[in-house]
């Protein structure tokens, strides 16, 4: 058993309490490789933002679970060294399992240094979701690890599980779910979804610049939930904004992305000021990495040193994470 405390991670309890009170949201950024983790740490130290490093089960398989544990440990050491070099404060970092689907996976992550886990029972019946989530909470809390549950279903891919339609969270279910399971935070469905195609063009209107504007998130549902469980930390998955510039850069360099529409930043700013304490962002990083790499390949077709295209991809990620912390989530300066 490797405790997250030995590695230098924190659980999400204090992070969320401060975020709730301060009306901002903690960024939860997914990673699978070295450049992503370097960019997250660089951006979050430079903006002095707390951060949640997220690992999906697919990422854990891709990166190798043993290596991943050391990458997490490496992130903490890099953060300390970089903060010292810049004369800045160290930042709180949580290591979180994203979309855990079984008790065994959550247990294995807890035993290998994760400080927080998500058990996503949203595809089960309400009662089965409660039973599974409660089992994970009982084990996790013995180790002071925090647990995120989910009620309601997001459209798109949630790891191996995919759903064509979303089912909004039912506010009338949240009190029973939270009290019976003992979860520390709750992911809800109010109109976000995973991936780069969150809305169909026909669902959108066009703004003055011809940019497609999707329908607003269901803040009415969020408000009802806030009334039912006052002060309880809420999580928003599927919160990439799918920047038009990144999509253009991909497509003008040989890419073929179609109908790529995300959550407008204005909507996320509003969410971050509410009970939403954690905002999950993965696709935007994938888009900027792809855009930067494609540009190098088109402009310098003779280049074959991976550092020459992964380096620019990493730089693009740093810019994006800093922008989110400073201008969208309000987490900059809250470390
Ligand atoms: O919510 C899903 C995350 O973007 C992780 O995606 O399962 O492909 O690693 P992944
Ligand atoms: P995006 O696909 O919108 O980045 O959402 C990521 C996510 O919710 C990870 O759990
Ligand atoms: Zn998610």
């Amino acid at each position: 058993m490797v405790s997250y405390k030995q590695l230098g991670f924190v659980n999400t309890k204090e992070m969320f309490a401060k975020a709730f009170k301060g009306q901002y949201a903690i960024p939860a950024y997914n990673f699978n490789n070295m450049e992503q983790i370097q960019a997250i740490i660089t951006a979050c130290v430079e903006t002095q933002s707390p951060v949640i490093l997220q690992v999906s089960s697919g990422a854990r398989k891709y990166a190798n679970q043993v290596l991943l544990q050391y990458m997490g440990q490496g992130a903490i050491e890099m953060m300390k060294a970089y903060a010292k070099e810049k004369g800045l404060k160290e930042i709180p970092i949580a290591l979180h399992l994203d979309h855990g689907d079984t008790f065994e996976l959550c247990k294995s992550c807890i035993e290998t240094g994760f400080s927080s886990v998500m058990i996503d029972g949203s595809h089960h019946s309400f009662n089965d979701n409660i039973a599974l989530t409660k089992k994970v909470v009982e084990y996790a809390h013995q180790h002071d690890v925090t647990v995120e549950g989910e009620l309601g279903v997001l459209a798109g891919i949630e790891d191996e599980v995919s759903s064509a339609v979303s089912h909004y969270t039912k506010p009338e279910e949240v009190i029973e779910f939270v009290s019976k399971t003992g979860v520390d935070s709750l992911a809800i469905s109010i109109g976000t979804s995973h991936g780069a195609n969150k809305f169909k063009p026909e669902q959108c209107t066009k703004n003055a610049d011809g940019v497609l504007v999707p329908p607003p998130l269901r803040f009415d549902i969020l408000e009802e939930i806030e009334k039912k469980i006052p002060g309880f930390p809420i999580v928003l998955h599927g919160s990439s904004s799918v920047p038009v510039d990144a999509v253009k850069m991909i497509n003008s360099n040989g890419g073929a992305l179609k109908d790529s529409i995300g959550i407008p930043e204005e909507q996320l700013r509003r969410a971050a000021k509410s009970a939403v304490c954690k905002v999950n962002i993965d696709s935007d990083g994938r888009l900027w990495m792809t855009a930067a790499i494609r540009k190098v390949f088109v402009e310098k077709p003779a280049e074959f040193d991976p550092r020459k295209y992964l380096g620019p991809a990493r730089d693009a990620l740093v810019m994006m994470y800093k922008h989110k912390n400073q201008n969208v989530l309000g987490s900059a300066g809250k470390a």
Side-chain angles (χ1 to χ4, degrees):
M1 169 95 193
V2 183
S3 162
Y4 70 86
K5 292 178 188 174
Q6 287 162 250
L7 305 183
F9 291 110
V10 295
N11 69 24
T12 57
K13 209 149 194 97
E14 197 182 326
M15 276 186 182
F16 289 167
K18 285 186 178 165
F20 194 96
K21 213 166 153 230
Q23 299 193 314
Y24 60 92
I26 309 287
Y29 298 131
N30 290 70
F31 78 96
N32 320 264
N33 71 9
M34 184 184 79
E35 284 75 14
Q36 289 169 317
I37 208 162
Q38 288 173 321
I40 297 169
I41 298 301
T42 302
C44 292
V45 168
E46 287 181 8
T47 57
Q48 292 283 277
S49 170
V51 67
I52 297 170
L53 296 175
Q54 289 202 141
V55 178
S56 68
S57 67
R60 203 162 176 250
K61 277 185 214 132
Y62 175 82
N64 180 294
Q65 70 176 70
V66 177
L67 178 59
L68 202 109
Q69 181 185 323
Y70 290 96
M71 284 169 79
Q73 211 168 332
I76 292 280
E77 297 308 320
M78 177 187 163
M79 177 275 290
K80 288 181 183 168
Y82 193 55
K84 193 169 174 196
E85 181 191 323
K86 292 274 167 187
L88 294 165
K89 268 198 308 192
E90 292 184 4
I91 60 169
I93 304 179
L95 182 62
H96 175 80
L97 169 67
D98 191 24
H99 294 286
D101 55 351
T102 61
F103 170 77
E104 289 70 28
L105 174 61
C106 293
K107 183 168 179 279
S108 165
C109 287
I110 292 166
E111 287 169 351
T112 53
F114 283 61
S115 62
S116 174
V117 292
M118 173 188 195
I119 178 69
D120 182 355
S122 62
H123 298 272
H124 296 294
S125 70
F126 182 62
N127 287 332
D128 288 352
N129 187 1
I130 290 182
L132 176 62
T133 307
K134 185 171 187 281
K135 189 174 172 191
V136 171
V137 169
E138 280 170 0
Y139 182 77
H141 283 183
Q142 287 168 31
H143 301 281
D144 208 13
V145 166
T146 39
V147 181
E148 174 184 325
E150 180 168 326
L151 261 186
V153 178
L154 273 70
I157 294 158
E158 295 202 331
D159 251 336
E160 270 92 48
V161 195
S162 95
S163 173
V165 281
S166 66
H167 307 281
Y168 296 128
T169 305
K170 297 186 182 119
E172 62 274 21
E173 289 184 346
V174 297
I175 296 179
E176 185 180 350
F177 186 81
V178 164
S179 60
K180 284 194 173 160
T181 58
V183 277
D184 302 283
S185 60
L186 182 68
I188 60 165
S189 173
I190 56 164
T192 63
S193 63
H194 291 104
N197 301 82
K198 300 189 190 299
F199 303 93
K200 295 197 171 64
E202 52 271 28
Q203 289 176 279
C204 304
T205 49
K206 267 194 187 156
N207 73 9
D209 304 319
V211 175
L212 290 171
V213 181
L217 297 180
R218 292 292 305 269
F219 283 101
D220 56 320
I221 298 179
L222 173 62
E223 279 160 23
E224 269 192 71
I225 293 170
E226 287 178 305
K227 278 187 208 142
K228 302 267 183 203
I229 43 174
F232 197 80
I234 300 297
V235 177
L236 268 198
H237 282 248
S239 297
S240 279
S241 292
V242 189
V244 174
D245 290 346
V247 174
K248 270 192 195 152
M249 196 161 144
I250 290 174
N251 287 343
S252 61
N253 287 292
L257 293 183
K258 263 190 76 192
D259 300 341
S260 307
I261 304 161
I263 311 296
E265 290 183 348
E266 208 39 58
Q267 301 266 304
L268 296 170
R269 271 183 212 109
R270 178 171 168 192
K273 291 198 175 79
S274 72
V276 170
C277 292
K278 172 175 181 270
V279 170
N280 285 14
I281 295 167
D282 187 5
S283 297
D284 282 355
R286 297 179 182 196
L287 289 166
W288 278 118
M289 277 196 100
T290 304
I293 291 169
R294 277 194 175 277
K295 188 164 181 282
V296 175
F297 284 170
V298 167
E299 288 176 359
K300 299 177 186 162
E303 192 55 73
F304 68 99
D305 177 347
R307 291 170 297 188
K308 298 285 166 48
Y309 49 88
L310 293 176
R314 185 175 59 191
D315 294 343
L317 286 179
V318 172
M319 297 253 295
M320 181 201 84
Y321 295 132
K322 288 175 82 165
H323 169 71
K324 303 270 183 201
N325 297 349
Q326 288 168 329
N327 306 320
V328 183
L329 306 178
S331 62
K334 307 292 185 186

